[in-house]
Amino acid sequence: APEKCYVVESGVDSSLFKEPSTEEKVNFRKVLNVSESDYLISNLSFVVERKNTLLLVESLLFLPDNYKLLLLDEGNKAYLLKIKTFITEHGLTNRVIFEQPVSHLEVNKLYMASDMMVLPSSYEGFPKVVLEALSCGLKVLGSGFDFGVKVSGYYTINNLNATSLSKLILEVNKNNVIVDSAYVKEHFSWDNRARKINDIYEKILS
């Protein structure tokens, strides 16, 4: 019965995923060979077709040359090969960085090195990567799920095509809206999620 079902969405370790200092951001970018003049877009999800990673790569064709993309080198092998072939054929080798998957304790550095996170999925559950990116102070463009609340710094992708996506990326980059990382930490931190689970247990046992 619906009244017996409870949903507790993903949470984020707000002590680990936080806004970097200027020095930290510069140092993390150096490791990736990303200059201060580069605009780094990240997508730190497994590379699978429903996440439309190829569409995100294609959007680079309509963005200035200093826009670069950070991807994880993990996912569907056939789809990864298709993406890497597209990158080579369109001269994007120097604009796409493939990073090997890292542990939960290290992935925050990849967010902290980035300027924006883009997740143009056809469908999602409730992606933790969005919370992690917002918690690190990144503007986030996403699709394929309903956030449920309005959070400053999160933007919905309405058109899944490369030209529209590139226009939205440019528009959001120029937008001076401040990312509400404090809201994410308050409502989606691990402590908050733990309290919600505790409340459910108390309700069931009362």
Side-chain angles (χ1 to χ4, degrees), residues 174-190:
K174 294 176 183 177
N175 191 327
N176 291 323
V177 168
I178 296 173
V179 177
D180 194 354
S181 56
Y183 180 92
V184 175
K185 292 171 184 177
E186 179 182 354
H187 294 275
F188 294 98
S189 68
W190 281 0

Side-chain angles (χ1 to χ4, degrees), residues 50-69:
R50 70 175 174 84
K51 293 182 181 289
N52 296 313
T53 316
L54 180 57
L55 170 67
L56 181 53
V57 172
E58 186 182 349
S59 72
L60 289 176
L61 297 174
F62 306 98
L63 290 167
D65 289 345
N66 67 316
Y67 279 66
K68 295 185 178 180
L69 179 60

Side-chain angles (χ1 to χ4, degrees), residues 40-199:
L40 185 61
I41 300 166
S42 65
N43 181 303
L44 302 179
S45 299
F46 287 165
V47 178
V48 292
E49 199 158 355
R50 70 175 174 84
K51 293 182 181 289
N52 296 313
T53 316
L54 180 57
L55 170 67
L56 181 53
V57 172
E58 186 182 349
S59 72
L60 289 176
L61 297 174
F62 306 98
L63 290 167
D65 289 345
N66 67 316
Y67 279 66
K68 295 185 178 180
L69 179 60
L70 175 62
L71 302 174
L72 290 183
D73 196 4
E74 184 172 49
N76 180 278
K77 291 182 179 180
Y79 190 51
L80 267 169
L81 178 59
K82 184 177 181 180
I83 289 170
K84 290 179 179 180
T85 300
F86 182 93
I87 289 169
T88 301
E89 290 178 346
H90 290 82
L92 296 172
T93 304
N94 293 328
R95 296 179 63 191
V96 182
I97 302 165
F98 281 98
E99 187 73 7
Q100 291 300 316
V102 294
S103 73
H104 173 74
L105 298 175
E106 295 289 325
V107 71
N108 62 323
K109 296 176 183 177
L110 300 181
Y111 288 109
M112 290 180 181
S114 304
D115 297 298
M116 177 187 289
M117 203 277 276
V118 181
L119 185 71
S121 301
S122 296
Y123 62 91
E124 289 281 352
F126 190 79
K128 188 168 64 174
V129 292
V130 169
L131 297 177
E132 291 172 343
L134 287 170
S135 189
C136 288
L138 297 185
K139 294 176 182 177
V140 175
L141 279 58
S143 62
F145 73 102
D146 181 10
F147 207 132
V149 292
K150 273 196 168 185
V151 179
S152 180
Y154 176 79
Y155 301 81
T156 300
I157 300 169
N158 293 313
N159 298 306
L160 289 175
N161 64 74
T163 53
S164 294
L165 181 56
S166 64
K167 288 178 182 177
L168 182 60
I169 289 170
L170 289 171
E171 179 185 326
V172 170
N173 179 22
K174 294 176 183 177
N175 191 327
N176 291 323
V177 168
I178 296 173
V179 177
D180 194 354
S181 56
Y183 180 92
V184 175
K185 292 171 184 177
E186 179 182 354
H187 294 275
F188 294 98
S189 68
W190 281 0
D191 286 344
N192 176 277
R193 301 294 94 179
R195 286 195 296 272
K196 284 190 174 294
I197 292 172
N198 184 69
D199 290 345

Side-chain angles (χ1 to χ4, degrees), residues 1-8 195-206:
E3 63 272 13
K4 292 184 178 180
C5 295
Y6 301 91
V7 177
V8 179
R195 286 195 296 272
K196 284 190 174 294
I197 292 172
N198 184 69
D199 290 345
I200 291 170
Y201 277 118
E202 288 184 352
K203 183 176 181 179
I204 292 172
L205 296 174
S206 61

